[in-house]
Amino acid sequence: QVQLVESGGGLVQAGGSLSLSCTASGRIFSFNVMGWYRQAPGKQRELVGEMTNGGTTKYADSVKGRFTISRDNARNMVFLQMNSLKPEDTAVYYCNWRNKFETRFNYWGQGTRVTVSS
């Protein structure tokens, strides 16, 4: 089992910035992927960005150039820096940890709300 605890989020005006952080604990495998997903009201959960333990990143097209994901492998943490926020970024953001090679090991945080006002 892996437990994920998120922090950050909140309310910000359009054009502003927010940062999220997530700490993983428990049975942490070395080869893993940590990232962020989001779910807006009435929509499916979607990938925002993720990073492997080796540093390879992947972003949704909608956030490229505005959001940056980073990791601290020693502390099992992942961060999401969100700049130039838009109202359409409003959603609940979920931290995700998964084993890179065994998909059955896939865990979620409790979610943190981000609201961007216009």
Side-chain angles (χ1 to χ4, degrees):
Q1 280 280 0
V2 173
Q3 294 79 42
L4 301 170
V5 177
E6 300 140 338
S7 62
L11 173 65
V12 66
Q13 286 190 329
S17 298
L18 279 176
S19 61
L20 306 179
S21 62
C22 174
T23 304
S25 61
R27 193 178 180 188
I28 306 294
F29 294 96
S30 296
F31 296 100
N32 60 74
V33 183
M34 292 188 75
W36 296 91
Y37 286 70
R38 67 186 180 187
Q39 188 166 18
K43 294 188 176 181
Q44 288 190 328
R45 191 173 297 189
E46 62 176 5
L47 172 70
V48 176
E50 63 182 17
M51 179 181 278
T52 68
N53 59 287
T56 301
T57 57
K58 179 180 178 180
Y59 292 96
D61 288 342
S62 60
V63 307
K64 283 180 181 177
R66 300 188 298 121
F67 291 12
T68 302
I69 192 167
S70 59
R71 291 182 56 154
D72 182 336
N73 289 334
R75 295 192 294 165
N76 294 316
M77 295 185 71
V78 64
F79 308 94
L80 184 67
Q81 177 64 41
M82 303 182 289
N83 298 328
S84 302
L85 282 159
K86 305 175 181 180
E88 50 264 42
D89 295 317
T90 295
V92 177
Y93 284 68
Y94 296 91
C95 179
N96 175 260
W97 183 101
R98 69 177 190 275
N99 184 295
K100 192 174 180 181
F101 301 113
E102 294 191 52
T103 56
R104 61 192 174 110
F105 297 112
N106 187 7
Y107 302 95
W108 297 93
Q110 78 282 1
T112 184
R113 187 173 299 277
V114 172
T115 303
V116 184
S117 63
S118 57

